[in-house]
Amino acid sequence: MPYLNVVDPGFDFTAPEVFAAQAAGWWAESPLGPLVLRYAETQELLRDRRLDHGGDGYLIQHGVTSGPIHDWWAPMIVNHDGADHRRLRGLVGRAFTPRMVEQVRPFIRETVEALADEVEAAGDVEFVEAFASRLPLAVMGELLGVPADDHDLFSVWSSDIGLIFALAAGGDTVSRVERAVAGLDGYVESLIDVKMARPADDLISRMVAVWRDERTVSRAELRNLVVTLVFGAHDNTLHQLSNAMVTFAEHPAQWGLLRERPELADRAVTEVMRWRPSAASVFRRATEDIDYRGLAVAAGTFVTMAVQAAQRDPLAYPGGDAFDITAVRDAPLLQFGAGPHYCLGSALAHAQLSEALPILARRFSPPVVTGQVTWRPAIGTHGPNALPLCFTRPG
């Protein structure tokens, strides 16, 4: 059975040995347990009710048994199923609607144009800092009602909290996540008080109103939901924007095609998310002993889905070994999960990229990487920590 060391700092889910293992079979061994490499098996396991998100087990596996991370993670919505999950998701769903996402699109476009003005003036930029972090922060602030003066605070907290899915990487990961959780918890607690006293037309005010009217969740659960929303609204979109720029820098002809045919924007976003997803991997835990396609999985075992490799699986995506924004891909993306736990923020992430990419393609030639790109760990939320790019006007 192939062995893939996914916790190695230099590991890459698109390395030749990964696809060799995928061609040989649907799973490989790893330091984290079974690693699922193919699309069909990943999709089935994401929907399998015999697997959950790990609860305390994930933290215990990495030596976290108490403290701010535990107190945030254990009651998080993803760690609830059935009636509890529906109760928590219902509060968010009644406040965070598709109509709200559509209403924020003009703000997204205005923000993209303003940030593009700054990029054009600079020419050479560190893209994560200059654009990828600032766009979702601004959108999050607009939606949630977070004052612009506090965006810099949120930038650090909401990025570091995303390392929760990379605890196996070691180093200072735990301490960074602890600081982020503590900071966001305290801030959101105060923000709830503000929205109770002075409600506005924003998502947190609507969530507070639903909470006060229905009392289906506790105040602690409300705070946890908002902290989780902040994390989801910023970190994943930040890295997806940066991953898009890396991808187009590697495929400049596709950038030119998008400039010529901006109507391809939605398809381009889906293809970027397929090719280089910000959620390069996701995990689940077996709640009972399972025999799945000949693999015996003991209760308590964690199973890691290699989303980035699975989304290039030729069995699911014929011709999927090429990045092509004109292609029609029938198989749905995996990075947002499946079933009852499908990511609530997927539409907002798609909206931001579908507005940003055609504007950037219209205004600039393909991005050029001008220095060393440093990366987050391959496991969990994946993307550049630093992405030096040069943008020039089309000739």
Side-chain angles (χ1 to χ4, degrees):
M1 182 57 60
Y3 178 84
L4 298 172
N5 188 7
V6 296
V7 299
D8 185 309
F11 182 79
D12 181 355
F13 275 112
T14 65
E17 60 265 29
V18 176
F19 293 112
Q22 184 187 69
W26 66 268
W27 72 282
E29 295 179 345
S30 84
L32 304 178
L35 182 70
V36 184
L37 301 171
R38 291 183 180 174
Y39 182 95
E41 288 79 4
T42 297
Q43 188 178 56
E44 284 183 1
L45 289 168
L46 286 174
R47 295 176 178 274
D48 196 317
R49 296 299 180 90
R50 298 172 299 174
L51 284 81
D52 66 12
H53 283 73
D56 284 359
Y58 171 67
L59 300 183
I60 293 169
Q61 184 185 47
H62 299 291
V64 179
T65 57
S66 62
I69 296 177
H70 177 274
D71 294 345
W72 167 59
W73 176 267
M76 195 195 302
I77 185 172
V78 299
N79 291 318
H80 291 272
D81 289 293
D84 267 349
H85 181 264
R86 289 191 295 272
R87 175 176 59 84
L88 294 168
R89 191 178 176 102
L91 184 145
V92 181
R94 284 191 290 280
F96 185 32
T97 63
R99 182 169 176 267
M100 177 175 278
V101 173
E102 289 305 308
Q103 287 177 332
V104 82
R105 279 184 178 270
F107 177 84
I108 297 173
R109 287 192 290 272
E110 292 170 9
T111 305
V112 170
E113 294 283 8
L115 292 175
D117 287 343
E118 296 182 21
V119 168
E120 182 174 351
D124 290 89
V125 297
E126 197 289 285
F127 186 77
V128 176
E129 180 180 341
F131 191 100
S133 179
R134 292 172 65 191
L135 175 61
L137 273 174
V139 174
M140 180 189 69
E142 179 74 5
L143 274 177
L144 299 183
V146 175
D149 289 347
D150 294 338
H151 286 186
D152 287 343
L153 275 176
F154 268 69
S155 177
V156 176
W157 290 336
S158 57
S159 182
D160 281 355
I161 203 172
L163 292 169
I164 185 68
F165 298 114
L167 295 182
D172 64 347
T173 303
V174 170
S175 61
R176 288 174 65 183
V177 178
E178 281 182 339
R179 288 193 298 270
V181 170
L184 280 171
D185 255 357
Y187 185 93
V188 168
E189 185 71 18
S190 298
L191 194 60
I192 290 171
D193 285 336
V194 170
K195 300 304 180 182
M196 288 176 65
R198 297 186 298 278
D201 186 19
D202 57 59
L203 180 56
I204 296 180
S205 294
R206 294 182 190 184
M207 289 177 67
V208 167
V210 174
W211 165 67
R212 295 179 77 175
D213 290 344
E214 300 183 4
R215 299 291 178 175
T216 55
V217 304
S218 69
R219 177 164 176 142
E221 288 173 323
L222 173 65
R223 184 184 67 246
N224 191 286
L225 283 167
V226 175
V227 170
T228 304
L229 276 173
V230 168
F231 151 56
H234 178 234
D235 193 58
N236 285 289
T237 306
L238 178 167
H239 291 294
Q240 195 62 72
L241 283 162
S242 298
N243 286 346
M245 291 303 106
V246 172
T247 301
F248 279 112
E250 296 170 343
H251 302 86
Q254 294 288 307
W255 182 270
L257 186 59
L258 180 58
R259 182 172 62 246
E260 294 167 7
R261 298 177 58 190
E263 70 274 10
L264 289 173
D266 284 339
R267 198 173 293 175
V269 172
T270 300
E271 183 71 347
V272 162
M273 290 180 172
R274 181 192 72 86
W275 185 257
R276 197 182 292 275
S278 57
S281 65
V282 298
F283 64 82
R284 296 291 187 268
R285 179 188 62 173
T287 59
E288 59 186 80
D289 292 344
I290 295 172
D291 186 349
Y292 178 77
R293 299 202 178 197
L295 174 65
V297 181
T301 299
F302 281 83
V303 180
T304 302
M305 322 292 176
V307 170
Q308 187 168 13
Q311 289 187 168
R312 300 193 195 184
D313 182 356
L315 297 175
Y317 298 101
D321 58 348
F323 176 72
D324 181 3
I325 67 170
T326 68
V328 177
R329 310 291 188 188
D330 293 328
L333 297 175
L334 298 167
Q335 75 157 321
F336 296 113
H341 286 276
Y342 188 81
C343 178
L344 275 165
S346 60
L348 180 60
H350 192 103
Q352 291 182 72
L353 268 80
S354 67
E355 297 294 345
L357 293 182
I359 291 173
L360 293 174
R362 168 174 55 81
R363 296 189 55 163
F364 302 113
S365 295
V368 176
V369 177
T370 57
Q372 183 180 7
V373 181
T374 59
W375 292 87
R376 291 274 283 263
I379 52 174
T381 306
H382 181 61
N385 283 317
L387 178 57
L389 294 179
C390 177
F391 286 91
T392 58
R393 294 179 64 87

